[in-house]
Amino acid sequence: MSNRVYSGLKEIPEGTAGERIAEGCLVLEGGAFRGLYTQGFLDALMVNDINIRSVIGVSAGALSGMNYVSGQIGRSARINLGFRKDSRYVGVKALLHSKSIIDIGFLTENRGILEPLDKDRFMRPDRRFVAVTTNCLTGRDTYFEKGKCKDIIGAVRASATMPYISPMVMVEGEPYLDGGCSCKIPYRWALDQGYEKIIVIRTREADFRKKDKPDTLASRVYRKYPELSKSLSTSRMDYNHQCDEIEKLNKSGRIVRYAPSEHVEVSRIEKDMEKLGDLYHLGWDDCLAHLEEIKSYLNIA
């Protein structure tokens, strides 16, 4: 029988991030359990006292970013590497509780069995945090910001709620799903906000592109939501365009992009705990390999 938890779970770093804040914007791609790469990268940043002022994330990127802003080193990884095979999180009990095979609320709500999210630190006004969602009525990407959205935790939950397998999440009276349905990597938001220092963290290799084929399932499942269906049907093509533009911006020096240095063979709902643990450490190692470069870019002594 495969391990129920990652064998190296006790080696995940603990502690609280420092108070020093670096100016800039961190952009986090989604990818469900491929987000372990991002979590390793962010933990390495926190351990080295690199806490970037603004964070915007999609789906798993929003979940990882929430823990980064709350300054809780290792929390994301300990939950995913320790509870991936707990049916309250992924499985039958999750389905009964949340009507989805993945209960995102297991990550965002304090249920007594996990280390609580430090909501007080997360909600401090000294750092920006934005969760990207998809409005199911308009099919458009919607940006919910901490301090402006009345239910930012609900927005994070909506951002990470995958289509097809999960019900829509109501935020401020309207239905939302995974931000990746309409915008998988929100670097454009950071550019439009005028940030000079922008770091994008991918969860796929830099040269990865999706097969350009329409999502024919969307029109059947979401026939009552035609605009959402349109966004889903073009999401692969839109994603590839984003990846191409990110590479151009990275090459020109307008942004800095980091991506897995090895081929990622982890599925969105990966069951192999050792694969997930290895992906976390790949993110950690990739961050450390570029640590001095990151410090220089952010003007950190």
Side-chain angles (χ1 to χ4, degrees):
M1 181 179 294
S2 60
N3 293 345
R4 289 193 59 80
V5 301
Y6 172 51
S7 62
L9 187 61
K10 293 182 179 180
E11 300 170 7
I12 302 300
E14 300 180 0
T16 303
E19 298 291 341
R20 181 174 68 171
I21 297 175
E23 298 303 327
C25 184
L26 188 63
V27 179
L28 307 177
E29 182 180 3
F33 284 100
R34 288 194 291 270
L36 264 301
Y37 177 83
T38 302
Q39 292 157 29
F41 203 107
L42 297 184
D43 280 350
L45 288 180
M46 287 191 282
V47 166
N48 286 280
D49 201 23
I50 301 176
N51 309 294
I52 299 173
R53 175 82 66 187
S54 298
V55 179
I56 181 169
V58 173
S59 193
L63 290 167
S64 299
M66 177 180 66
N67 289 283
Y68 178 63
V69 173
S70 71
Q72 292 170 274
I73 300 169
R75 179 179 185 267
S76 288
R78 279 189 293 277
I79 292 173
N80 284 305
L81 296 176
F83 291 91
R84 164 62 184 87
K85 292 189 177 180
D86 188 316
S87 67
R88 292 170 295 182
Y89 180 20
V90 184
V92 175
K93 291 182 180 178
L95 185 63
L96 292 173
H97 185 273
S98 67
K99 298 181 181 179
S100 171
I101 62 168
I102 301 178
D103 183 3
I104 300 301
F106 195 80
L107 299 167
T108 58
E109 299 167 10
N110 297 333
R111 297 186 177 173
I113 57 173
L114 306 175
E115 53 191 289
L117 174 71
D118 186 346
K119 291 185 178 179
D120 289 339
R121 180 163 180 171
F122 173 68
M123 291 302 298
R124 286 183 191 173
D126 58 347
R127 295 177 75 182
R128 294 184 76 183
F129 172 82
V130 176
V132 185
T133 64
T134 298
N135 185 304
C136 298
L137 301 177
T138 67
R140 301 290 301 275
D141 43 321
T142 303
Y143 301 79
F144 288 107
E145 182 167 354
K146 173 173 67 76
K148 296 180 180 180
C149 172
K150 294 179 181 178
D151 182 14
I152 188 62
I153 302 299
V156 171
R157 193 161 60 248
S159 177
T161 297
M162 292 189 289
Y164 304 121
I165 67 171
S166 302
M168 297 170 183
V169 175
M170 299 299 291
V171 182
E172 298 185 350
E174 294 194 329
Y176 290 89
L177 278 175
D178 194 326
C181 299
S182 54
C183 177
K184 296 185 185 299
I185 315 174
Y187 63 96
R188 271 285 151 201
W189 181 89
L191 291 170
D192 292 343
Q193 290 288 309
Y195 286 102
E196 292 298 322
K197 305 290 185 178
I198 300 172
I199 295 177
V200 176
I201 299 180
R202 300 281 315 278
T203 52
R204 288 282 202 179
E205 312 91 280
D207 62 355
F208 174 82
R209 300 294 183 274
K210 292 179 178 289
K211 293 181 179 179
D212 190 4
K213 60 180 181 180
D215 186 340
T216 57
L217 182 61
S219 61
R220 298 196 299 272
V221 176
Y222 295 114
R223 59 184 181 278
K224 294 182 180 180
Y225 298 89
E227 298 304 319
L228 172 63
S229 176
K230 289 178 184 177
S231 291
L232 285 167
S233 67
T234 62
S235 65
R236 289 172 176 265
M237 179 177 63
D238 295 340
Y239 173 75
N240 291 342
H241 174 74
Q242 286 187 321
C243 292
D244 291 343
E245 188 170 17
I246 285 171
E247 291 311 302
K248 291 178 182 178
L249 291 166
N250 181 61
K251 187 175 182 180
S252 70
R254 179 63 186 89
I255 68 172
V256 173
R257 181 270 302 140
Y258 295 105
S261 58
E262 299 176 8
H263 177 61
V264 176
E265 294 184 352
V266 170
S267 70
R268 287 171 62 83
I269 53 173
E270 181 64 54
K271 295 181 180 180
D272 188 322
M273 302 309 298
E274 301 310 300
K275 276 189 178 181
L276 291 174
D278 288 346
L279 187 59
Y280 171 85
H281 285 292
L282 179 62
W284 174 278
D285 292 342
D286 282 356
C287 180
L288 294 185
H290 295 283
L291 193 62
E292 294 308 314
E293 176 183 287
I294 293 170
K295 288 182 177 179
S296 177
Y297 179 67
L298 295 173
N299 297 318
I300 296 175

